[in-house]
Structure formats: C-alpha cells, structure tokens
Amino acid sequence: MIKQLHVFDFDGTLADSSHRYRLGDNGRIDLLHWIANEHKALDDKPLPLLADFVAMQTQKGLFPLIATARIWCELSKIWATRNMVDAHIIARRGREDTRGGAALKIQGVNRLLNLKQFHSVEEIHVYEDNADYLQEICDYYPNSVAHFIPSNQGF
C-alpha cells in the first residue's frame, strides 16, 4: 500500500539547469531563451536531493514522482536514465500546453489519486523551489507536507 506520495519538482530541485535559465524583463523565466537552449538539457547537473529521490524509488509505501513545468523531451529522458531516475513523470504536453506550473502538477497528481493503488495515501510531500507553486499545491492538498528547496531558478 502506498502511504506517502513524494512530488518533486525537477529544475532547481533535482537538476541544476541554471546554465540555460534566465529571467526576462518581466521578472519571470525567459521562455524563449529556455526553449532555445533545450538542446543543452544533457548538461544539467544533479543536485543533492536527487540521491534521496533515487533511494525513495525502492522504499515500500513511498511513491516518488517528478512533476515539472518543463516539456519532458527525449533529452530529459536520457538525463533521467543516466542519473538512475525511474519514475512517473508529470510534465507539459508540448508547447501548446500553457497551464500554470502548479495547476499542471495538481492535475497530474489528481489523476494518480483517482487510481485504486493511491487510495491509501495519507501524506503528500511536495519538494519545490518555487514558493508560489509550493503554496498553491499545499493549499490544495490538506494532507501535504511542504519542503521548500532554495535555488537560483525557482522565483
């Protein structure tokens, strides 16, 4: 029985992708720059929390997953495989998917929670470097535990 769901953001939490991240004039991520540098995904660096994530993959009663606002492209899959990540991924469904990051994560988690094997979940741990996303997700789930992970990407 799965008792705990562990929802990990990816960029800035498990992987340092700051080499291809920058803020636009509006103070938010410069999406055009991010997209133009997507081919550099294999240069992302593992962050310390990744070791905990990998260890959780084999613990009974825990279900770690990745919920990211990035598009999970072929390079993301290769990076994950190289870093021993074998997990359920919640991600954008292409460039036309313009949902807010927290909304797409909540929708993805809700799909899982509707499955029989997740009916026994007692706690949802959320690991996030974006304080606004973290607040929104944890406000939505009353049984959540917030884990703020400071980074230079999660404004």
Side-chain angles (χ1 to χ4, degrees), residues 4 6 10 21 38 45 88 96 119 128 133 143 148 150 153:
Q4 293 182 1
H6 290 259
F10 194 72
Y21 176 92
E38 189 174 64
K45 302 291 183 225
H88 181 82
E96 64 283 349
H119 287 179
E128 180 65 65
Y133 288 3
N143 61 335
F148 179 70
Q153 301 178 228

Side-chain angles (χ1 to χ4, degrees), residues 122-126 134 137-146:
E122 296 171 357
E123 287 183 332
I124 300 173
H125 291 259
V126 182
L134 183 62
I137 295 166
C138 290
D139 284 350
Y140 187 87
Y141 297 108
N143 61 335
S144 62
V145 178

Side-chain angles (χ1 to χ4, degrees), residues 2 7 46 56 61 74 108 112 115 123 132 140 142:
I2 298 171
V7 182
M56 281 183 190
E74 192 60 35
L112 288 177
L115 300 174
E123 287 183 332
D132 292 336
Y140 187 87

Side-chain angles (χ1 to χ4, degrees), residues 1-7 56-57 59-65 88 112-113 115-125 143:
M1 295 174 78
I2 298 171
K3 296 287 186 186
Q4 293 182 1
L5 192 62
H6 290 259
V7 182
M56 281 183 190
Q57 294 176 139
Q59 293 180 26
K60 291 202 181 268
L62 302 184
F63 189 85
L65 66 97
H88 181 82
L112 288 177
L113 293 174
L115 300 174
K116 182 180 178 181
Q117 62 266 39
F118 293 96
H119 287 179
S120 60
V121 169
E122 296 171 357
E123 287 183 332
I124 300 173
H125 291 259
N143 61 335

Side-chain angles (χ1 to χ4, degrees), residues 39-58:
H39 66 282
K40 297 178 182 177
L42 292 180
D43 295 331
D44 294 354
K45 302 291 183 225
L47 289 170
L49 192 56
L50 183 63
D52 294 336
F53 179 88
V54 170
M56 281 183 190
Q57 294 176 139
T58 60

